[in-house]
Amino acid sequence: MTIERLTDLIDPAKTPRLVVKVGSSLLVGKDGKPRREWLESLAEEIAEARARGQQVVVVSSGAIALGAARLGLAKGGRGSLSEAQAAAAVGQIALGGLWSELLGKVGITAAQLLVTLEDLDDRRRYLNASATIGKLLEAGAVPVINENDSVATEEIRFGDNDRLAARAAQAARADAVALLSDVDGLYDRDPAEEGASLLGRVEGVTAEIHAMASGSSSSGMGSGGMTSKLQAAEIAERAGIALAIFNGTQERPISRAMSEGIGTLFLPRRNDGALKSWLGGRQRMEGVIVVDAGCAKALAKGGSLLATGITEVEGEFGRGAAVGVRDVQGKPLAQGLVEYGSAEISRIKGHRSDELANLLGYAPRSAVIHRDQLVLL
Ligand code: GLU
């Protein structure tokens, strides 16, 4: 059963497993304290979802905001990486305690998972996280996930919990993600402009859709903004996961959005399957392969990536590495796992398959990236 409208997110037949992402500005008040009443109302809604037969995973921000207030740090703890790391260390312990207490009050056991971008980009660690989430849900607990901000450094962090929520949804094998935000959804232009209208449904995040996002977070407390929400929607839509953005500022945010029907629903576009979904959602690539127009066409038709279509290879990587594939104009086309390291690819690029044995001195592999290990973007 496919998800087609916002209310499908509360239908256990269509959304047996739901990820709910709560942004910092919803969780933490301007005074730096948790918005308890609001959180209590959300905990009640989570209990109701479970009573309906849905399993729920929470992705919760707020560690940096809570910790910064306690440590008295300027700029909400986001002035420098080390301040954010310290703030998160203080805030996360409070955040975990808060969820444990509030979910406990409605009879739910909370479980805490802290992950980094690398944890989810590494296949083995990703599968571990996935198994843990599955086991927790089976056991009736609600996993509460956040980025491990105290150890994540600038180059290797999500930084926003929107993409993290989409990645966590893949790991959780969820059907849908609800991004609770302080905006109503995606507008066709800056919502401050006159005549801006809210998009109810988006079928595929195109360049036109990207152009609508302004990139700034309206509250200034979180780090998300619409750009990262669209990136999250792209990760989700390729993995067969629906994603909704709606305004969660009022109490009982989920019921409210469902009854008012206000929000933006990004429909799943295709379901790449488990391995390809993980690969397509990987955030860091170890290198880049640039291909010519003929190769780009073959890839779009579902073909494997062959040496003959490669014009350039960037970065140093070994066999099995995850690389990005781009066309000569620099447009990202695909992500895949290579059969050859970068040094070998440099030697065989531009050559036909029947020339490879001679160039390499050994029997070549069937492709540089086999189609089973390749995800179109
Ligand atoms: N992980 C960060 C925190 O807990 C929030 C990231 C975001 O703003 O999306 O504070």
CSV table of all heavy atoms in Angstrom, one decimal, residues 252-305:
chain,number,residue,atom,x,y,z
A,252,ARG,N,0.2,18.7,20.5
A,252,ARG,CA,-0.3,17.6,19.7
A,252,ARG,C,-0.1,17.9,18.2
A,252,ARG,O,-1.0,17.9,17.4
A,252,ARG,CB,-1.8,17.4,20.0
A,252,ARG,CG,-2.0,16.9,21.4
A,252,ARG,CD,-3.5,16.5,21.7
A,252,ARG,NE,-4.0,15.5,20.8
A,252,ARG,CZ,-3.7,14.2,20.9
A,252,ARG,NH1,-3.0,13.7,21.9
A,252,ARG,NH2,-4.3,13.4,20.1
A,253,PRO,N,1.2,18.1,17.9
A,253,PRO,CA,1.5,18.5,16.5
A,253,PRO,C,1.1,17.5,15.4
A,253,PRO,O,0.7,18.0,14.3
A,253,PRO,CB,3.1,18.6,16.5
A,253,PRO,CG,3.5,17.8,17.7
A,253,PRO,CD,2.4,17.8,18.7
A,254,ILE,N,1.2,16.2,15.7
A,254,ILE,CA,0.9,15.3,14.6
A,254,ILE,C,-0.6,15.3,14.3
A,254,ILE,O,-1.0,15.5,13.1
A,254,ILE,CB,1.4,13.9,14.9
A,254,ILE,CG1,2.9,13.9,15.1
A,254,ILE,CG2,1.0,12.9,13.8
A,254,ILE,CD1,3.5,12.6,15.6
A,255,SER,N,-1.5,15.2,15.3
A,255,SER,CA,-2.9,15.2,15.1
A,255,SER,C,-3.3,16.5,14.4
A,255,SER,O,-4.2,16.6,13.6
A,255,SER,CB,-3.7,15.1,16.4
A,255,SER,OG,-3.0,14.4,17.3
A,256,ARG,N,-2.7,17.6,14.9
A,256,ARG,CA,-3.1,18.9,14.3
A,256,ARG,C,-2.8,19.0,12.8
A,256,ARG,O,-3.7,19.4,12.0
A,256,ARG,CB,-2.2,20.0,15.0
A,256,ARG,CG,-2.6,21.4,14.7
A,256,ARG,CD,-1.8,22.3,15.5
A,256,ARG,NE,-2.5,22.5,16.8
A,256,ARG,CZ,-3.2,23.6,17.1
A,256,ARG,NH1,-3.5,24.5,16.2
A,256,ARG,NH2,-3.7,23.7,18.3
A,257,ALA,N,-1.6,18.6,12.4
A,257,ALA,CA,-1.2,18.6,11.0
A,257,ALA,C,-2.1,17.7,10.2
A,257,ALA,O,-2.6,18.0,9.1
A,257,ALA,CB,0.2,18.2,10.8
A,258,MET,N,-2.5,16.5,10.8
A,258,MET,CA,-3.3,15.6,10.1
A,258,MET,C,-4.7,16.1,9.9
A,258,MET,O,-5.3,16.0,8.8
A,258,MET,CB,-3.3,14.2,10.8
A,258,MET,CG,-2.0,13.6,10.9
A,258,MET,SD,-1.2,13.3,9.3
A,258,MET,CE,0.5,13.7,9.7
A,259,SER,N,-5.2,16.8,10.9
A,259,SER,CA,-6.6,17.2,10.8
A,259,SER,C,-6.7,18.5,9.9
A,259,SER,O,-7.6,18.6,9.2
A,259,SER,CB,-7.3,17.5,12.2
A,259,SER,OG,-6.5,18.5,12.8
A,260,GLU,N,-5.7,19.3,10.0
A,260,GLU,CA,-5.7,20.5,9.1
A,260,GLU,C,-5.3,20.2,7.7
A,260,GLU,O,-5.6,20.9,6.8
A,260,GLU,CB,-4.8,21.6,9.7
A,260,GLU,CG,-5.3,22.2,11.0
A,260,GLU,CD,-4.4,23.1,11.7
A,260,GLU,OE1,-3.2,23.2,11.2
A,260,GLU,OE2,-4.8,23.8,12.6
A,261,GLY,N,-4.5,19.1,7.6
A,261,GLY,CA,-4.0,18.7,6.2
A,261,GLY,C,-3.0,19.7,5.7
A,261,GLY,O,-2.8,19.8,4.5
A,262,ILE,N,-2.3,20.4,6.6
A,262,ILE,CA,-1.3,21.4,6.1
A,262,ILE,C,0.1,20.9,6.3
A,262,ILE,O,0.5,20.5,7.4
A,262,ILE,CB,-1.5,22.7,6.9
A,262,ILE,CG1,-2.8,23.4,6.6
A,262,ILE,CG2,-0.3,23.7,6.5
A,262,ILE,CD1,-3.1,24.6,7.4
A,263,GLY,N,0.8,20.8,5.2
A,263,GLY,CA,2.2,20.3,5.2
A,263,GLY,C,2.6,19.9,3.8
A,263,GLY,O,1.7,20.0,2.9
A,264,THR,N,3.8,19.5,3.6
A,264,THR,CA,4.3,19.1,2.3
A,264,THR,C,4.6,17.6,2.4
A,264,THR,O,5.4,17.2,3.2
A,264,THR,CB,5.5,19.9,1.8
A,264,THR,OG1,5.1,21.3,1.8
A,264,THR,CG2,5.9,19.5,0.4
A,265,LEU,N,4.0,16.8,1.5
A,265,LEU,CA,4.4,15.4,1.4
A,265,LEU,C,5.2,15.1,0.2
A,265,LEU,O,4.8,15.4,-0.9
A,265,LEU,CB,3.1,14.6,1.4
A,265,LEU,CG,3.3,13.1,1.3
A,265,LEU,CD1,3.9,12.5,2.6
A,265,LEU,CD2,1.9,12.4,1.0
A,266,PHE,N,6.4,14.6,0.4
A,266,PHE,CA,7.2,14.1,-0.7
A,266,PHE,C,7.0,12.6,-0.9
A,266,PHE,O,7.2,11.8,0.0
A,266,PHE,CB,8.7,14.4,-0.3
A,266,PHE,CG,9.1,15.8,-0.2
A,266,PHE,CD1,8.8,16.5,1.0
A,266,PHE,CD2,9.6,16.5,-1.2
A,266,PHE,CE1,9.1,17.8,1.2
A,266,PHE,CE2,10.0,17.9,-1.1
A,266,PHE,CZ,9.7,18.5,0.1
A,267,LEU,N,6.5,12.3,-2.1
A,267,LEU,CA,6.1,10.9,-2.3
A,267,LEU,C,7.3,10.1,-2.6
A,267,LEU,O,8.3,10.6,-3.3
A,267,LEU,CB,5.1,10.9,-3.5
A,267,LEU,CG,3.8,11.7,-3.4
A,267,LEU,CD1,3.0,11.6,-4.7
A,267,LEU,CD2,3.0,11.1,-2.2
A,268,PRO,N,7.3,8.8,-2.3
A,268,PRO,CA,8.4,8.0,-2.6
A,268,PRO,C,8.4,7.8,-4.2
A,268,PRO,O,7.4,7.7,-4.8
A,268,PRO,CB,8.1,6.6,-1.9
A,268,PRO,CG,6.7,6.7,-1.4
A,268,PRO,CD,6.3,8.2,-1.5
A,269,ARG,N,9.6,7.8,-4.7
A,269,ARG,CA,9.7,7.8,-6.2
A,269,ARG,C,10.0,6.4,-6.7
A,269,ARG,O,9.5,6.0,-7.7
A,269,ARG,CB,10.8,8.8,-6.6
A,269,ARG,CG,10.6,9.4,-7.9
A,269,ARG,CD,11.3,10.8,-8.0
A,269,ARG,NE,12.7,10.8,-7.5
A,269,ARG,CZ,13.8,10.6,-8.3
A,269,ARG,NH1,13.7,10.3,-9.5
A,269,ARG,NH2,15.0,10.7,-7.7
A,270,ARG,N,10.8,5.7,-6.0
A,270,ARG,CA,11.2,4.4,-6.4
A,270,ARG,C,11.7,3.7,-5.2
A,270,ARG,O,12.0,4.3,-4.2
A,270,ARG,CB,12.2,4.4,-7.5
A,270,ARG,CG,13.5,5.1,-7.1
A,270,ARG,CD,14.5,5.1,-8.2
A,270,ARG,NE,15.9,5.1,-7.7
A,270,ARG,CZ,16.8,6.0,-8.1
A,270,ARG,NH1,16.5,7.0,-8.9
A,270,ARG,NH2,18.0,6.0,-7.5
A,271,ASN,N,11.8,2.3,-5.2
A,271,ASN,CA,12.4,1.7,-4.1
A,271,ASN,C,13.6,0.9,-4.5
A,271,ASN,O,13.5,-0.1,-5.2
A,271,ASN,CB,11.4,0.7,-3.4
A,271,ASN,CG,11.9,0.3,-2.1
A,271,ASN,OD1,13.1,0.4,-1.8
A,271,ASN,ND2,11.0,-0.2,-1.2
A,272,ASP,N,14.8,1.4,-4.2
A,272,ASP,CA,16.0,0.9,-4.6
A,272,ASP,C,16.4,-0.5,-4.0
A,272,ASP,O,17.3,-1.1,-4.4
A,272,ASP,CB,17.2,1.9,-4.4
A,272,ASP,CG,17.2,3.0,-5.4
A,272,ASP,OD1,16.7,2.8,-6.5
A,272,ASP,OD2,17.8,4.0,-5.1
A,273,GLY,N,15.7,-0.8,-2.9
A,273,GLY,CA,16.1,-2.0,-2.2
A,273,GLY,C,17.1,-1.7,-1.2
A,273,GLY,O,17.7,-0.6,-1.2
A,274,ALA,N,17.4,-2.7,-0.3
A,274,ALA,CA,18.2,-2.3,0.9
A,274,ALA,C,19.6,-1.8,0.6
A,274,ALA,O,20.0,-0.8,1.0
A,274,ALA,CB,18.2,-3.6,1.8
A,275,LEU,N,20.3,-2.6,-0.2
A,275,LEU,CA,21.7,-2.2,-0.4
A,275,LEU,C,21.8,-0.9,-1.2
A,275,LEU,O,22.6,0.0,-0.9
A,275,LEU,CB,22.5,-3.3,-1.2
A,275,LEU,CG,23.9,-2.9,-1.6
A,275,LEU,CD1,24.9,-3.0,-0.5
A,275,LEU,CD2,24.4,-3.7,-2.8
A,276,LYS,N,21.0,-0.8,-2.3
A,276,LYS,CA,21.1,0.4,-3.1
A,276,LYS,C,20.6,1.6,-2.4
A,276,LYS,O,21.1,2.7,-2.6
A,276,LYS,CB,20.3,0.2,-4.4
A,276,LYS,CG,21.0,-0.7,-5.4
A,276,LYS,CD,20.5,-0.5,-6.8
A,276,LYS,CE,21.3,-1.4,-7.8
A,276,LYS,NZ,20.9,-1.0,-9.2
A,277,SER,N,19.6,1.4,-1.5
A,277,SER,CA,19.1,2.6,-0.7
A,277,SER,C,20.2,3.1,0.2
A,277,SER,O,20.4,4.3,0.3
A,277,SER,CB,18.0,2.2,0.2
A,277,SER,OG,16.9,1.9,-0.6
A,278,TRP,N,20.9,2.2,0.8
A,278,TRP,CA,22.0,2.6,1.7
A,278,TRP,C,23.1,3.4,0.9
A,278,TRP,O,23.5,4.4,1.2
A,278,TRP,CB,22.6,1.4,2.4
A,278,TRP,CG,24.0,1.7,3.0
A,278,TRP,CD1,24.2,2.3,4.1
A,278,TRP,CD2,25.2,1.3,2.4
A,278,TRP,NE1,25.6,2.4,4.3
A,278,TRP,CE2,26.2,1.8,3.3
A,278,TRP,CE3,25.6,0.7,1.2
A,278,TRP,CZ2,27.6,1.7,3.0
A,278,TRP,CZ3,27.0,0.6,1.0
A,278,TRP,CH2,27.9,1.1,1.9
A,279,LEU,N,23.4,2.8,-0.3
A,279,LEU,CA,24.4,3.3,-1.2
A,279,LEU,C,24.0,4.7,-1.7
A,279,LEU,O,24.8,5.7,-1.7
A,279,LEU,CB,24.7,2.4,-2.3
A,279,LEU,CG,25.8,2.7,-3.3
A,279,LEU,CD1,27.1,2.8,-2.6
A,279,LEU,CD2,25.9,1.6,-4.4
A,280,GLY,N,22.8,4.8,-2.1
A,280,GLY,CA,22.3,6.1,-2.6
A,280,GLY,C,22.2,7.2,-1.6
A,280,GLY,O,22.2,8.4,-1.9
A,281,GLY,N,22.1,6.8,-0.3
A,281,GLY,CA,22.0,7.8,0.8
A,281,GLY,C,23.3,8.1,1.4
A,281,GLY,O,23.4,8.9,2.3
A,282,ARG,N,24.4,7.4,1.0
A,282,ARG,CA,25.7,7.7,1.5
A,282,ARG,C,26.0,9.1,1.4
A,282,ARG,O,25.8,9.7,0.3
A,282,ARG,CB,26.7,6.8,0.8
A,282,ARG,CG,27.2,5.6,1.7
A,282,ARG,CD,28.4,5.0,1.0
A,282,ARG,NE,29.6,5.8,1.3
A,282,ARG,CZ,30.7,5.2,1.7
A,282,ARG,NH1,30.8,3.9,1.9
A,282,ARG,NH2,31.8,6.0,1.9
A,283,GLN,N,26.6,9.7,2.4
A,283,GLN,CA,26.9,11.1,2.4
A,283,GLN,C,28.3,11.5,1.9
A,283,GLN,O,28.5,12.5,1.3
A,283,GLN,CB,26.7,11.7,3.8
A,283,GLN,CG,25.3,11.6,4.3
A,283,GLN,CD,24.3,12.3,3.4
A,283,GLN,OE1,24.3,13.6,3.3
A,283,GLN,NE2,23.3,11.6,2.8
A,284,ARG,N,29.2,10.6,2.1
A,284,ARG,CA,30.6,10.9,1.7
A,284,ARG,C,31.1,9.9,0.7
A,284,ARG,O,30.9,8.7,0.8
A,284,ARG,CB,31.5,10.8,2.9
A,284,ARG,CG,31.2,11.7,4.0
A,284,ARG,CD,31.6,13.2,3.7
A,284,ARG,NE,30.7,14.1,4.4
A,284,ARG,CZ,31.0,15.3,4.7
A,284,ARG,NH1,32.2,15.8,4.5
A,284,ARG,NH2,30.1,16.0,5.3
A,285,MET,N,31.7,10.5,-0.4
A,285,MET,CA,32.2,9.6,-1.4
A,285,MET,C,33.7,9.6,-1.3
A,285,MET,O,34.3,10.6,-0.9
A,285,MET,CB,31.8,10.1,-2.8
A,285,MET,CG,30.3,10.1,-3.0
A,285,MET,SD,29.7,8.3,-3.1
A,285,MET,CE,28.6,8.3,-1.7
A,286,GLU,N,34.4,8.5,-1.7
A,286,GLU,CA,35.8,8.4,-1.6
A,286,GLU,C,36.5,8.9,-2.9
A,286,GLU,O,37.7,9.0,-2.9
A,286,GLU,CB,36.2,7.0,-1.3
A,286,GLU,CG,35.7,6.5,0.1
A,286,GLU,CD,35.7,5.0,0.3
A,286,GLU,OE1,36.8,4.5,0.4
A,286,GLU,OE2,34.6,4.5,0.2
A,287,GLY,N,35.8,9.2,-3.9
A,287,GLY,CA,36.3,9.7,-5.2
A,287,GLY,C,35.2,10.0,-6.2
A,287,GLY,O,34.1,9.8,-5.8
A,288,VAL,N,35.7,10.4,-7.3
A,288,VAL,CA,34.7,10.8,-8.4
A,288,VAL,C,35.2,10.2,-9.7
A,288,VAL,O,36.3,10.2,-10.0
A,288,VAL,CB,34.6,12.3,-8.5
A,288,VAL,CG1,33.7,12.7,-9.7
A,288,VAL,CG2,34.0,12.9,-7.2
A,289,ILE,N,34.2,9.6,-10.5
A,289,ILE,CA,34.5,9.2,-11.8
A,289,ILE,C,33.7,10.1,-12.8
A,289,ILE,O,32.5,10.3,-12.6
A,289,ILE,CB,34.1,7.7,-12.0
A,289,ILE,CG1,35.1,6.8,-11.2
A,289,ILE,CG2,34.1,7.3,-13.5
A,289,ILE,CD1,34.7,5.4,-11.3
A,290,VAL,N,34.4,10.7,-13.7
A,290,VAL,CA,33.7,11.6,-14.7
A,290,VAL,C,33.5,10.8,-16.0
A,290,VAL,O,34.4,10.1,-16.5
A,290,VAL,CB,34.5,12.8,-15.0
A,290,VAL,CG1,33.8,13.7,-16.0
A,290,VAL,CG2,34.8,13.6,-13.7
A,291,VAL,N,32.2,10.8,-16.5
A,291,VAL,CA,31.9,10.0,-17.7
A,291,VAL,C,31.4,10.9,-18.8
A,291,VAL,O,30.9,11.9,-18.6
A,291,VAL,CB,30.9,8.9,-17.4
A,291,VAL,CG1,31.4,7.9,-16.3
A,291,VAL,CG2,29.5,9.5,-16.9
A,292,ASP,N,31.6,10.3,-20.1
A,292,ASP,CA,31.1,11.1,-21.2
A,292,ASP,C,29.6,10.9,-21.5
A,292,ASP,O,29.0,10.1,-20.8
A,292,ASP,CB,31.9,10.7,-22.5
A,292,ASP,CG,31.8,9.2,-22.9
A,292,ASP,OD1,30.7,8.6,-22.5
A,292,ASP,OD2,32.7,8.7,-23.6
A,293,ALA,N,29.1,11.6,-22.4
A,293,ALA,CA,27.6,11.6,-22.6
A,293,ALA,C,27.1,10.2,-23.0
A,293,ALA,O,26.0,9.9,-22.5
A,293,ALA,CB,27.3,12.6,-23.7
A,294,GLY,N,27.8,9.5,-23.8
A,294,GLY,CA,27.4,8.2,-24.2
A,294,GLY,C,27.2,7.3,-23.0
A,294,GLY,O,26.2,6.5,-22.8
A,295,CYS,N,28.2,7.3,-22.1
A,295,CYS,CA,28.2,6.5,-20.9
A,295,CYS,C,27.0,7.0,-20.0
A,295,CYS,O,26.3,6.1,-19.4
A,295,CYS,CB,29.5,6.7,-20.1
A,295,CYS,SG,29.6,5.7,-18.6
A,296,ALA,N,26.8,8.3,-19.9
A,296,ALA,CA,25.7,8.8,-19.0
A,296,ALA,C,24.4,8.2,-19.5
A,296,ALA,O,23.5,7.9,-18.7
A,296,ALA,CB,25.7,10.3,-19.1
A,297,LYS,N,24.2,8.2,-20.8
A,297,LYS,CA,23.0,7.6,-21.4
A,297,LYS,C,22.8,6.1,-21.1
A,297,LYS,O,21.7,5.7,-20.7
A,297,LYS,CB,23.1,7.8,-23.0
A,297,LYS,CG,21.7,8.2,-23.6
A,297,LYS,CD,21.9,8.4,-25.1
A,297,LYS,CE,21.8,9.8,-25.5
A,297,LYS,NZ,22.1,10.0,-26.9
A,298,ALA,N,23.9,5.4,-21.2
A,298,ALA,CA,23.9,4.0,-20.9
A,298,ALA,C,23.5,3.7,-19.4
A,298,ALA,O,22.7,2.8,-19.1
A,298,ALA,CB,25.2,3.3,-21.2
A,299,LEU,N,24.1,4.6,-18.6
A,299,LEU,CA,23.8,4.4,-17.1
A,299,LEU,C,22.3,4.7,-16.9
A,299,LEU,O,21.6,4.0,-16.1
A,299,LEU,CB,24.6,5.4,-16.3
A,299,LEU,CG,26.1,5.2,-16.3
A,299,LEU,CD1,26.8,6.2,-15.4
A,299,LEU,CD2,26.5,3.8,-15.9
A,300,ALA,N,21.8,5.7,-17.5
A,300,ALA,CA,20.4,6.1,-17.3
A,300,ALA,C,19.4,5.0,-17.8
A,300,ALA,O,18.3,4.8,-17.2
A,300,ALA,CB,20.0,7.4,-18.1
A,301,LYS,N,19.9,4.1,-18.7
A,301,LYS,CA,19.1,3.0,-19.2
A,301,LYS,C,19.3,1.8,-18.3
A,301,LYS,O,18.8,0.7,-18.6
A,301,LYS,CB,19.5,2.7,-20.6
A,301,LYS,CG,18.9,3.6,-21.6
A,301,LYS,CD,19.1,3.0,-23.0
A,301,LYS,CE,18.8,4.1,-24.1
A,301,LYS,NZ,19.7,3.9,-25.2
A,302,GLY,N,20.1,1.9,-17.3
A,302,GLY,CA,20.3,0.8,-16.4
A,302,GLY,C,21.6,-0.1,-16.6
A,302,GLY,O,21.7,-1.2,-16.1
A,303,GLY,N,22.5,0.5,-17.4
A,303,GLY,CA,23.7,-0.3,-17.7
A,303,GLY,C,24.7,-0.1,-16.7
A,303,GLY,O,24.7,0.7,-15.8
A,304,SER,N,25.8,-1.0,-16.8
A,304,SER,CA,26.9,-0.9,-15.9
A,304,SER,C,27.9,0.2,-16.4
A,304,SER,O,27.8,0.6,-17.6
A,304,SER,CB,27.7,-2.2,-15.9
A,304,SER,OG,26.9,-3.2,-15.3
A,305,LEU,N,28.7,0.7,-15.5
A,305,LEU,CA,29.7,1.7,-16.0
A,305,LEU,C,31.0,1.1,-16.5
A,305,LEU,O,31.7,0.4,-15.7
A,305,LEU,CB,30.0,2.6,-14.8
A,305,LEU,CG,30.7,4.0,-15.1
A,305,LEU,CD1,30.4,5.0,-14.0
A,305,LEU,CD2,32.2,3.8,-15.2
